[in-house]
Amino acid sequence: MSNSSSMQWASALSTRPFLEAAITEAVEQAVAALQASWSGVGGDSEPRELERPIPNVGFLFVSSAFASEYTRVLPLVQAKLAEAQIPAIPIVGCNGGGIIGINTRGTAREVEDEAAVSLVLAVLPQVKVHPFYINPEQLPDLDGPPSVWSELIGVDPQEIPQFIILADPFSSGINNLLSGLDYAYSECPKVGGIASSGVMNGQSGLFCGDRFYREGVVGVALSGNIVMDTIVAQGCRPIGSPFQVLESERNVILKMQASDQDRSSSNGSPLEMLRDLIQWLSEEDKVLAQTALFVGVAQSEFKQVLEPGDFLIRNLLGFDPRVGALAIGDRIRAGQRIQFHLRDAATSQEDLETLLRRYQYPALEVDAKSVPKGEPKGALMFACLGRGEALYGEPNFDSQLFSRYCNHIPMGGFFCNGEIGPVGANTYLHGFTASFGIFRPREAQG
């Protein structure tokens, strides 16, 4: 427990080319930001030592440029925190092919092509911090009771923990892990990402508590006076109208029919129906469909009018011209609805901006029990390696768009090999996505 009475977050980013210098700068910036936030509360000019904010968790993201020094990272961070008179705290993090944080000018920045360290420190009063490590080879059976999953994590589901999950890119069973956690903690949000190096077969580094791991899954469960809101921007727009799957086998759609009498034909094989749909597209979209065509799987069986956020976006893997079947990057079953989607920079921007516009917290907003909601205090961002400057043609796009709508709250994160976040009631591993966890107290702070 912290001795500060209010939730506070601080984010720092260093691009120093040497690890010790980068960590030193990041720790100094983050600690200074906490001190500035604390001294600004109440307008006191003199520091009050008894109320000095002591963080009780940190999030750390380290560039793959430091791969040969991963084992030095946690000892260096804890040593620098000790120099700032901050006791050892749980640190959770990993390596990234790109690093996201707030620089010394208070600006969100995405560092994609150089060494960087991002550090987030959080003062979380009345919050239990529970870091954990999981070996995916020892996951419980999905047919077992939910209690085996909560025993694996070590947190009672009644505590309503908020999860941040990080995994190495070669760990098997990540989808089973997410399914198991949804099973045991159905009301608890989960976000995170897969560690990335930016190069093929790059080394992974996972940080948890005071331990370093090369493989597996690390994370933290936060319970108590904290809520994590989530935003998952999949960056796609639908084309045509939804189809209903009539026959499928694992991830292959064998038969489907149009769910209305739109331009799309309701006869023929899935491949023929897709070709017919593409014929009605603009010339620009026809070109885009050659390289950026995806399948959205509706997450609600009962919603009559489907909106963009109602779909889980999956890759279109290929087709069998002999029977006209389509293969997608996930299991599909008869009765589900799908809709084809396109992705480009303009669509990604529009999608994220729409979600951010919806995410607003007016001062008088209350929850279902008429209790005023706490304002957002900090955030973590997990973005696909395929986004960033390669997608938008300019740097820092997603992070600065987020800061614009979320009042420049402290934020850190990294570019992932896969992003974790909810769509509908379930948590998934995504691609080409920007997934955010936004943290606030359960009730408005006085």
Side-chain angles (χ1 to χ4, degrees):
M1 294 289 180
S2 167
N3 58 10
S4 178
S5 61
S6 62
M7 180 182 293
Q8 298 175 53
W9 291 69
S11 173
L13 177 73
S14 175
T15 56
R16 296 286 183 90
F18 300 103
L19 180 64
E20 186 167 356
I23 288 178
T24 298
E25 183 175 55
V27 170
E28 289 177 350
Q29 288 179 17
V31 171
L34 278 184
Q35 298 287 9
S37 174
W38 163 57
S39 61
V41 176
D44 292 293
S45 58
E46 294 295 327
R48 295 167 295 173
E49 188 63 30
L50 291 179
E51 297 183 11
R52 179 172 175 263
I54 302 298
N56 49 347
V57 68
F59 300 95
L60 180 70
F61 306 103
V62 178
S63 170
S64 57
F66 297 121
S68 63
E69 300 181 272
Y70 287 157
T71 57
R72 300 180 61 218
V73 168
L74 285 177
L76 282 171
V77 172
Q78 297 291 7
K80 296 303 176 183
L81 289 173
E83 290 178 9
Q85 298 183 332
I86 294 176
I89 59 173
I91 301 289
V92 177
C94 66
N95 67 294
I99 303 299
I100 301 164
I102 306 297
N103 64 17
T104 54
R105 296 184 296 276
T107 302
R109 186 180 174 198
E110 302 165 16
V111 182
E112 300 184 58
D113 298 312
E114 56 184 297
V117 169
S118 174
L119 175 65
V120 176
L121 297 179
V123 179
L124 306 177
Q126 301 176 334
V127 173
K128 177 183 176 182
V129 178
H130 181 81
F132 57 85
Y133 169 76
I134 298 173
N135 183 343
E137 295 181 357
Q138 299 175 346
L139 291 180
D141 194 320
L142 287 175
D143 294 330
S147 60
V148 299
W149 292 92
S150 58
E151 291 170 2
L152 176 71
I153 298 298
V155 176
D156 191 326
Q158 293 186 358
E159 295 183 20
I160 317 178
Q162 322 286 292
F163 287 94
I164 298 93
I165 301 168
L166 307 169
D168 88 88
F170 307 108
S171 286
S172 59
I174 185 64
N175 288 311
N176 287 346
L177 172 62
L178 297 179
S179 296
L181 293 182
D182 280 346
Y183 183 34
Y185 302 93
S186 59
E187 303 299 321
C188 304
K190 308 158 191 77
V191 299
I194 308 299
S196 65
S197 65
V199 297
M200 289 294 292
N201 301 319
Q203 290 184 327
S204 294
L206 301 174
F207 313 109
C208 183
D210 60 356
R211 299 286 300 275
F212 167 73
Y213 301 93
R214 287 287 184 192
E215 57 186 12
V217 178
V218 301
V220 64
L222 304 173
S223 54
N225 186 26
I226 190 169
V227 171
M228 181 177 70
D229 301 315
T230 60
I231 291 177
V232 178
Q234 300 182 88
C236 286
R237 58 182 166 88
I239 55 174
S241 294
F243 294 87
Q244 185 173 39
V245 177
L246 299 179
E247 185 178 338
S248 65
E249 183 175 335
R250 296 177 65 86
N251 68 322
V252 178
I253 301 172
L254 301 172
K255 291 183 181 180
M256 65 185 190
Q257 67 178 8
S259 59
D260 58 27
Q261 297 302 314
D262 189 46
R263 295 171 175 175
S264 303
S265 169
S266 59
N267 299 310
S269 68
L271 179 57
E272 291 171 334
M273 299 170 78
L274 172 59
R275 286 172 173 167
D276 187 58
L277 167 63
I278 291 175
Q279 292 305 309
W280 291 97
L281 299 179
S282 67
E283 292 302 317
E284 184 179 74
D285 281 352
K286 286 180 182 178
V287 173
L288 190 60
Q290 296 178 23
T291 57
L293 181 63
F294 298 84
V295 176
V297 181
Q299 297 301 288
S300 173
E301 298 183 10
F302 308 104
K303 191 172 183 180
Q304 295 298 314
V305 179
L306 295 171
E307 299 176 310
D310 296 327
F311 294 93
L312 174 65
I313 304 301
R314 287 298 185 241
N315 288 328
L316 179 60
L317 300 181
F319 55 89
D320 184 346
R322 297 171 300 173
V323 296
L326 299 176
I328 71 171
D330 207 344
R331 287 179 177 269
I332 190 77
R333 56 176 173 77
Q336 287 187 289
R337 290 176 292 173
I338 68 165
Q339 190 165 1
F340 294 101
H341 285 66
L342 295 176
R343 175 183 282 128
D344 59 10
T347 299
S348 293
Q349 174 185 351
E350 181 181 357
D351 180 38
L352 178 55
E353 195 159 11
T354 297
L355 294 172
L356 291 171
R357 193 178 294 115
R358 292 176 186 170
Y359 183 79
Q360 299 296 320
Y361 273 88
L364 299 180
E365 185 175 356
V366 298
D367 66 12
K369 297 180 180 179
S370 299
V371 176
K373 289 183 176 179
E375 294 183 358
K377 298 295 183 179
L380 297 175
M381 173 180 168
F382 307 96
C384 177
L385 282 166
R387 294 175 75 99
E389 193 165 359
L391 175 64
Y392 295 109
E394 59 181 280
N396 313 317
F397 193 93
D398 283 337
S399 59
Q400 292 190 4
L401 185 63
F402 176 86
S403 292
R404 191 183 314 156
Y405 279 90
C406 290
N407 198 29
H408 300 277
I409 63 176
M411 175 183 61
F414 74 105
F415 283 90
C416 315
N417 265 326
E419 306 77 58
I420 296 169
V423 174
N426 298 310
T427 309
Y428 298 97
L429 181 63
H430 305 272
F432 300 100
T433 298
S435 182
F436 298 85
I438 308 167
F439 301 87
R440 58 183 174 85
R442 288 190 177 275
E443 299 180 9
Q445 297 176 339

